[in-house]
C-alpha cells in the first residue's frame, strides 16, 4: 500500500469504522446464537445474519471512505451505484441461503461430544402415500411415538411444539441439531395406499449425519388404527435398545483418558460378542478361545489405566461366563468355579469401594455362590449380597441387573411381593432394554409365586412376543399348563412346545431342556387325565437324568404325582429334592404347587429347618 493511500485511509477513518462494524456484527451474531439456543428459533437465522454481515462489508468500506473524514461530504457517483448493487447482491445471497436451508456443506458441523444421545427429536413423519392420502396417519404415529418415548425417564424428548416449526422445512442436520439441542433424530414416512401401507422409520446420529438403524412395518389402514400404539411401542423399544449401545460407548470413552486402554476394552467387548455367538452355536472350544482372548485384552486395558475400574469389573463378568456357560442345570455353578470372578470383584471394590458396577458384580456372585448345595449355611452370603446389591441400585438406580438379582434373592427367600417389586424396578431401570429378557422372566416367575396365573400368562406371552428365540419364552407355556389352575391342558401342544424349547436351547443345554420339558409334559398329561402315560414319562425321565439337573426332575415329578393324587410318591420325590438342595426348604414350604400337602405332617417334617 502506498504511503499516501494509507494516510488517506487513516484520515478518512476507514480502519476504525470497519473495526467497529466487525465488532458490532460479531456481537449481533453471538446474540443470535444465544436466541437460537434459548428459544425454539430456526438456526437459519444465524446463517442469514452471517451472510448479511459479510456481504455488506463492501458497502461499509464505500461509506467509510467517502464519509469517514470529518466535515460534510457529498455522495459520489460510485457510491450511488455501488451501495445499491452491493445491497442487491447481499439480498440475493441471503435468498440462496434460505432456499438451500442454510450454509451446511453436508459434513459434520457440530461437536459430537457436545451432543446428548438421550435428547431425542421425533420429526413429523412424511406422507409419501398415493395422492398423499395418509397424512393424518403420519401425524398420529408421530404423536404416539413421542408420547411413548416420553414415558422413559432416562430420555429427554423434544416436545411436539418445538418440532412443529420444522415440519415442512428443509433444514441441514447440523443446524437442526443445534436448534433443537438434540443428539438423536427419529424420522420416518408412510407410503402405499389404504389397502397396503408401509411405515419406514430411521434413527439418525446428527454428529456423523449417518443412519444408525432403520426398518419398515407393513399393514393396512384398519390394522393401523388398531395397532398404532403397539407399533409405537415396537419402534420405541428398538430405539431404546440401540441408544443403550451408543450411550454405553460414550460413557466408556469418558471414563478413561487412555486411548490404548479404550481400544483394548472395545476390542474385548467385540470378542465377548463372538464368545456368545459360539456358545449359542454349541462350539465350546471356540467360545472359550474368544473368552480367553477377551480377558487378555481386558488385562491390557487394566494395565494401561490403573485407575479405570470397568476393565476389572468386566473381567469378573467374563470369568463368571466361563464358569457357567457349559453347565446344564439350575444352580449348577459351584462356588469354587466362581472364585476367579470373585477375585476380580474384590479387586474392583478395593480400587473403587463405592462403584455401583463393582458392588453389583460382587453381590451377584455372592448370591450365586449361596446356591451351591455344598455350602452348609448360605445365610451370610445372602445377607452380604442383598446389602451390596441395594448399595449398587442406591448409587445407580439404573442398574437393572442388580434389581433383577434382588428380585431373584427375594423370590428364593419367599418374599414374592418384594421379588415382583424389584422385577418391576428392573424393567423401569432398563430404559435401553439391555436386560429386558431376564427381567420379563423375573416378572413371570414372581407372578407365579403370587399365584397370579393370568399375570404369569401375560408375561409369558410378552416374553414370547419380544424374544421368540428364547427357549424359556416357549417353555413357560408348557409349565403353565402343568400347574393346577393353569390354562387348559393340551397334551399335543405341550409336546410340540417341548420340542421347540429343546431346539431353541443352546446345544450344550438341549439334553437338560429335553428332560425338564418331559417332566412338565408329564404334568400336562396328568392334568388331562392320562395318568398311565404321565407316570411312564416321569419315571423314564428320572431314569435318564444325571448331574445337577437330577434334583429338579424330582421337584417337577412331585407335582406330577400330586396331580394324580399319589401323595406318597409326591412326598418321596420332594424329599429327594430337598435332600439334594436343602437350601430350598423355606421356599418349598410356601410353594403353592404343593398346597395340598401343606397340612400333611410328613410335608411339615420335610420342610422343617433348624435355626
Amino acid at each position: 500500500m502506498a504511503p499516501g493511500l494509507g494516510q488517506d485511509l487513516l484520515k478518512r477513518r476507514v480502519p476504525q469504522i470497519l473495526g467497529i462494524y466487525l465488532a458490532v456484527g460479531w456481537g449481533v451474531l453471538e446474540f443470535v446464537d444465544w436466541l437460537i439456543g434459548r428459544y425454539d428459533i430456526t438456526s437459519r437465522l444465524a446463517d442469514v445474519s452471517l451472510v448479511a454481515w459479510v456481504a455488506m462489508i463492501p458497502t461499509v468500506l464505500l461509506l467509510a471512505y467517502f464519509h469517514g473524514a470529518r466535515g460534510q461530504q457529498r455522495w459520489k457517483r460510485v457510491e450511488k451505484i455501488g451501495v445499491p448493487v452491493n445491497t442487491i447482491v447481499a439480498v440475493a445471497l441471503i435468498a440462496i441461503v434460505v432456499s438451500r436451508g442454510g450454509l451446511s456443506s453436508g459434513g459434520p458441523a457440530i461437536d459430537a461430544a457436545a451432543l446428548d444421545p438421550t435428547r431425542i427429536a421425533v420429526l413429523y413423519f412424511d406422507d409419501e402415500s398415493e395422492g398423499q392420502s395418509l397424512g393424518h396417519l403420519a401425524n398420529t404415529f408421530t404423536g404416539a411415538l413421542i408420547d411413548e418415548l416420553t414415558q422413559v425417564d432416562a430420555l429427554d424428548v423434544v416436545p411436539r411444539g418445538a418440532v412443529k416449526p420444522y415440519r415442512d422445512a428443509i433444514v441441514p442436520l447440523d443446524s437442526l441439531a443445534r436448534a433443537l439441542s438434540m443428539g438423536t433424530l427419529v424420522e420416518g414416512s408412510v407410503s402405499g395406499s389404504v389397502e397396503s401401507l408401509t411405515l419406514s422409520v430411521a434413527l439418525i446420529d446428527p454428529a456423523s449425519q449417518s443412519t444408525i438403524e432403520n426398518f419398515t412395518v407393513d399393514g393396512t389402514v384398519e390394522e393401523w388404527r388398531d395397532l398404532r400404539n403397539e407399533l409405537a411401542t415396537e419402534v420405541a423399544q428398538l430405539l431404546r435398545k440401540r441408544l443403550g449401545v451408543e450411550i454405553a460407548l460414550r460413557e466408556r470413552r469418558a471414563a478413561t483418558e487412555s486411548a490404548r486402554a479404550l481400544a483394548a476394552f472395545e476390542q474385548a467387548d467385540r470378542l465377548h460378542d463372538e464368545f456368545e455367538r459360539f456358545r449359542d452355536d454349541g462350539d465350546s472350544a471356540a467360545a472359550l478361545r474368544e473368552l480367553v482372548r477377551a480377558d487378555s485384552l481386558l488385562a491390557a486395558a487394566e494395565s494401561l489405566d490403573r485407575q479405570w475400574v470397568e476393565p476389572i469389573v468386566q473381567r469378573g463378568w467374563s470369568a463368571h461366563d466361563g464358569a457357567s456357560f457349559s453347565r446344564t442345570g439350575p444352580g449348577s455353578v459351584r462356588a469354587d468355579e466362581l472364585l476367579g470372578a470373585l477375585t476380580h470383584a474384590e479387586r474392583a471394590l478395593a480400587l473403587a469401594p463405592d462403584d455401583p458396577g463393582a458392588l453389583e458384580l460382587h453381590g451377584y456372585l455372592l448370591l450365586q455362590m449361596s446356591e451351591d448345595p455344598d455350602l452348609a449355611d448360605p445365610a451370610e452370603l445372602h445377607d452380604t449380597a442383598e446389602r451390596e446389591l441395594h448399595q449398587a441400585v442406591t448409587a445407580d438406580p439404573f442398574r437393572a441387573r442388580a434389581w433383577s438379582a434382588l428380585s431373584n434373592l427375594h423370590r428364593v427367600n419367599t418374599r414374592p411381593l418384594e421379588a415382583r417389586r424389584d422385577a418391576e424396578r428392573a424393567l423401569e431401570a432398563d430404559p435401553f432394554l439391555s436386560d429386558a429378557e431376564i427381567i420379563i422372566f423375573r416378572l413371570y416367575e414372581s407372578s407365579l409365586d403370587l399365584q397370579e396365573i393370568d399375570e404369569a400368562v401375560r408375561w409369558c406371552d410378552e416374553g414370547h412376543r419380544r424374544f421368540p428365540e428364547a427357549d424359556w419364552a416357549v417353555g413357560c407355556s408348557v409349565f403353565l399348563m402343568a400347574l393346577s389352575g393353569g390354562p387348559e391342558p393340551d397334551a399335543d401342544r405341550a409336546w410340540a412346545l417341548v420340542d421347540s424349547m429343546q431346539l431353541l436351547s443352546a446345544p450344550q443345554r438341549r439334553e437338560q431342556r429335553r428332560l425338564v420339558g418331559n417332566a412338565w409334559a408329564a404334568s400336562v398329561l396328568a392334568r388331562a387325565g392320562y395318568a398311565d402315560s404321565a407316570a411312564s414319562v416321569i419315571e423314564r425321565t428320572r431314569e435318564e437324568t444325571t448331574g445337577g439337573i437330577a434334583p429338579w426332575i424330582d421337584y417337577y415329578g412331585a407335582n406330577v404325582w400330586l396331580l394324580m393324587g399319589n401323595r406318597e410318591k409326591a412326598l418321596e420325590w420332594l424329599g429327594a429334592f430337598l435332600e439334594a438342595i436343602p437350601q430350598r426348604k423355606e421356599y418349598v414350604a410356601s410353594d403353592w404347587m404343593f398346597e395340598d400337602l401343606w397340612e400333611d405332617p410328613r410335608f411339615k417334617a420335610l420342610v422343617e429347618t433348624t435355626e
Side-chain angles (χ1 to χ4, degrees):
M1 180 183 295
L5 179 60
Q7 292 176 357
D8 188 40
L9 291 176
L10 289 173
K11 181 180 178 181
R12 295 172 184 271
R13 297 184 295 179
V14 172
Q16 298 95 314
I17 293 172
L18 179 62
I20 293 171
Y21 173 80
L22 294 177
V24 172
W26 184 261
V28 171
L29 289 178
E30 289 293 315
F31 178 71
V32 168
D33 280 342
W34 177 82
L35 285 175
I36 291 171
R38 179 66 176 82
Y39 303 101
D40 293 321
I41 301 174
T42 175
S43 62
R44 279 181 291 179
L45 179 60
D47 296 334
V48 168
S49 301
L50 177 61
V51 169
W53 179 51
V54 174
M56 292 304 293
I57 289 177
T59 294
V60 173
L61 290 173
L62 278 173
L63 293 175
Y65 185 81
F66 290 106
H67 300 280
R70 300 184 185 279
Q72 187 176 7
Q73 288 85 24
R74 297 175 61 185
W75 277 78
K76 306 292 184 180
R77 180 179 178 82
V78 67
E79 290 181 274
K80 293 178 180 179
I81 297 173
V83 171
V85 168
N86 184 228
T87 303
I88 292 171
V89 170
V91 172
L93 289 172
I94 290 171
I96 291 172
V97 169
V98 172
S99 66
R100 290 182 55 195
L103 292 172
S104 173
S105 61
I110 47 180
D111 180 9
L115 298 179
D116 179 2
T118 63
R119 171 75 170 174
I120 298 177
V122 181
L123 293 188
Y124 275 81
F125 282 36
D126 296 328
D127 177 13
E128 298 178 357
S129 61
E130 298 176 6
Q132 293 191 319
S133 59
L134 301 178
H136 62 293
L137 293 179
N139 293 341
T140 298
F141 187 83
T142 303
L145 184 54
I146 290 175
D147 291 343
E148 179 68 26
L149 291 174
T150 302
Q151 303 306 310
V152 184
D153 291 338
L155 300 180
D156 180 12
V157 183
V158 178
R160 293 192 214 187
V163 174
K164 277 185 179 180
Y166 306 95
R167 185 169 180 173
D168 300 313
I170 301 175
V171 184
L173 206 51
D174 56 348
S175 299
L176 192 62
R178 284 197 303 268
L180 298 177
S181 302
M182 55 89 177
T184 302
L185 175 68
V186 180
E187 64 179 16
S189 63
V190 179
S191 60
S193 63
V194 172
E195 292 77 19
S196 177
L197 58 86
T198 298
L199 163 72
S200 300
V201 181
L203 175 65
I204 297 172
D205 176 12
S208 64
Q209 301 191 17
S210 61
T211 299
I212 300 171
E213 194 89 49
N214 57 55
F215 72 102
T216 60
V217 178
D218 298 317
T220 67
V221 167
E222 289 75 14
E223 293 170 334
W224 184 278
R225 295 181 191 281
D226 295 335
L227 298 176
R228 69 173 185 267
N229 291 332
E230 183 179 344
L231 288 171
T233 301
E234 291 286 349
V235 174
Q237 288 172 354
L238 174 65
L239 300 180
R240 290 162 71 183
K241 186 173 182 178
R242 188 67 182 91
L243 278 173
V245 176
E246 294 296 313
I247 291 168
L249 287 173
R250 292 186 181 219
E251 290 177 346
R252 191 174 295 150
R253 289 165 184 163
T256 178
E257 295 181 357
S258 171
R260 292 174 61 198
L262 177 61
F265 189 100
E266 292 186 346
Q267 188 176 351
D269 206 29
R270 289 190 290 272
L271 288 175
H272 193 272
D273 291 340
E274 288 297 296
F275 154 74
E276 292 181 341
R277 183 173 67 82
F278 284 124
R279 178 197 62 190
D280 295 342
D281 290 343
D283 191 341
S284 298
L288 283 174
R289 182 187 67 238
E290 297 305 292
L291 203 60
V292 170
R293 291 176 61 197
D295 183 71
S296 298
L297 285 165
L298 290 169
E302 181 185 347
S303 65
L304 289 165
D305 187 346
R306 295 290 184 182
Q307 300 305 310
W308 191 18
V309 71
E310 192 169 357
I312 306 175
V313 172
Q314 190 54 49
R315 291 187 74 185
W317 287 117
S318 293
H320 167 268
D321 290 341
S324 61
F325 90 96
S326 61
R327 294 290 169 170
T328 57
S332 62
V333 182
R334 300 193 306 271
D336 62 312
E337 294 177 307
L338 295 173
L339 290 179
L342 192 66
T343 299
H344 292 307
E346 290 170 347
R347 290 195 306 110
L349 285 175
L351 177 63
D354 298 323
D355 183 76
L359 288 164
E360 178 184 54
L361 171 64
H362 197 257
Y364 187 95
L365 292 172
L366 292 183
L367 178 60
Q368 196 159 12
M369 291 176 73
S370 70
E371 293 295 311
D372 192 325
D374 295 332
L375 292 177
D377 183 11
E380 184 176 351
L381 291 178
H382 265 244
D383 291 345
T384 304
E386 184 172 8
R387 183 177 67 253
E388 291 183 341
L389 291 168
H390 272 300
Q391 287 176 320
V393 296
T394 299
D396 181 2
F398 294 107
R399 288 276 161 185
R401 184 155 40 182
W403 283 116
S404 178
L406 282 168
S407 175
N408 189 43
L409 184 150
H410 292 146
R411 179 174 184 265
V412 172
N413 288 347
T414 64
R415 290 144 67 182
L417 287 173
E418 292 181 57
R420 181 165 65 182
R421 179 205 64 193
D422 290 339
E424 290 170 346
R425 291 292 299 272
L427 198 59
E428 294 171 4
D430 188 22
F432 306 113
L433 305 179
S434 56
D435 294 301
E437 182 182 338
I438 186 61
I439 294 169
I440 289 174
F441 177 67
R442 296 287 184 225
L443 287 164
Y444 157 73
E445 281 190 317
S446 61
S447 298
L448 279 180
D449 290 337
L450 292 166
Q451 207 170 349
E452 297 177 355
I453 299 296
D454 290 343
E455 277 294 290
V457 170
R458 181 170 79 87
W459 287 114
C460 176
D461 291 344
E462 178 72 2
H464 183 62
R465 184 182 70 83
R466 290 174 56 179
F467 307 100
E469 302 299 315
D471 61 345
W472 76 265
V474 174
C476 61
S477 295
V478 186
F479 186 68
L480 286 166
M481 283 192 287
L483 296 173
S484 176
E488 192 70 22
D490 183 333
D492 291 338
R493 181 169 180 261
W495 283 118
L497 289 169
V498 169
D499 289 342
S500 296
M501 179 179 72
Q502 183 183 356
L503 289 173
L504 290 171
S505 302
Q508 69 270 15
R509 299 182 69 239
R510 283 178 184 163
E511 179 60 14
Q512 175 253 321
R513 298 302 277 166
R514 181 185 72 84
L515 295 167
V516 169
N518 287 352
W520 294 348
S523 292
V524 176
L525 290 169
R527 285 193 67 207
Y530 304 116
D532 291 342
S533 296
S536 176
V537 169
I538 196 61
E539 290 280 14
R540 185 174 67 251
T541 301
R542 191 188 206 192
E543 291 171 1
E544 296 175 356
T545 305
T546 58
I549 191 62
W552 292 92
I553 299 302
D554 291 330
Y555 171 80
Y556 298 126
N559 181 56
V560 177
W561 295 116
L562 192 59
L563 288 170
M564 292 191 294
N566 192 332
R567 297 167 69 91
E568 285 69 24
K569 279 278 192 179
L571 288 164
E572 175 191 334
W573 286 45
L574 201 54
F577 168 71
L578 292 174
E579 184 178 355
I581 310 180
Q583 296 96 322
R584 292 285 179 166
K585 285 186 175 183
E586 186 176 359
Y587 178 78
V588 170
S590 59
D591 189 345
W592 62 265
M593 191 161 68
F594 304 112
E595 186 174 5
D596 288 348
L597 297 174
W598 283 356
E599 300 304 319
D600 192 311
R602 294 169 295 178
F603 176 82
K604 292 180 179 180
L606 283 177
V607 299
E608 184 178 4
T609 58
T610 56
E611 297 296 336

